[in-house]
Amino acid sequence: MNRLSKPLIETPRLILREFTVDDAYKIWELNSDPEVIKYTGDPPFENVENARDFLNNYKDYENNGFGRWAVIKKDSNTFLGWCGLKLNEQNLIDLGFRFFRREWNKGYATEAAKACLEYGFMELNIKEIIGRVAMKNTGSIKVLEKLSMEYWKNDSCKGIENSLYYKISKEQYLKNTQNGI
């Protein structure tokens, strides 16, 4: 997996590509910020080697044809975080994202997530994509709502009680796109 990863998705400001083991330090650093992982249910990696092991064993691309992707800022080649699709433990396609705190409120999550919806619906022909978010995570809720994802239900998610579930169908996505939303 230690290969140069070609861009998978491009937006005006971003490149989304598969992770490589060379991303281990950035993944470790991202998950080391308690504010970044506060609402995720994920523990931080103990060290860079654990992050490298995670990346070496990350099989979503091979198993499902998609996964979480590194988000790179085009003009500086800076690793901003990750965004992508995942076949989750409930057998649903889940949109997720995580960015360095210094990159919050710059529109990167919305831009990357919108591109992931487009890719999922148009390239992978996925019929429905969900998003799960802790009720207190207002920033991520705003991103899902900007994507025209609709509230679906409350449930727990990875040990976080009172998580909100959002969803959007391919049909609704196409209708929104035609209407310029």
Side-chain angles (χ1 to χ4, degrees), residues 74-87:
K74 275 185 183 178
D75 65 3
S76 63
N77 203 34
T78 304
F79 183 101
L80 303 177
W82 58 257
C83 185
L85 305 172
K86 177 181 181 172
L87 182 64

Side-chain angles (χ1 to χ4, degrees), residues 83-94:
C83 185
L85 305 172
K86 177 181 181 172
L87 182 64
N88 71 20
E89 69 282 354
Q90 298 171 328
N91 219 29
L92 301 169
I93 309 296
D94 180 5

Side-chain angles (χ1 to χ4, degrees), residues 47-58:
N47 52 47
V48 177
E49 195 54 45
N50 287 141
R52 186 175 281 96
D53 290 345
F54 169 81
L55 292 171
N56 269 324
N57 294 305
Y58 189 72

Side-chain angles (χ1 to χ4, degrees), residues 8-24:
L8 181 68
I9 300 171
E10 289 193 46
T11 72
R13 299 184 296 167
L14 308 172
I15 292 171
L16 282 70
R17 61 159 174 78
E18 291 184 1
F19 289 125
T20 71
V21 292
D22 295 333
D23 296 322

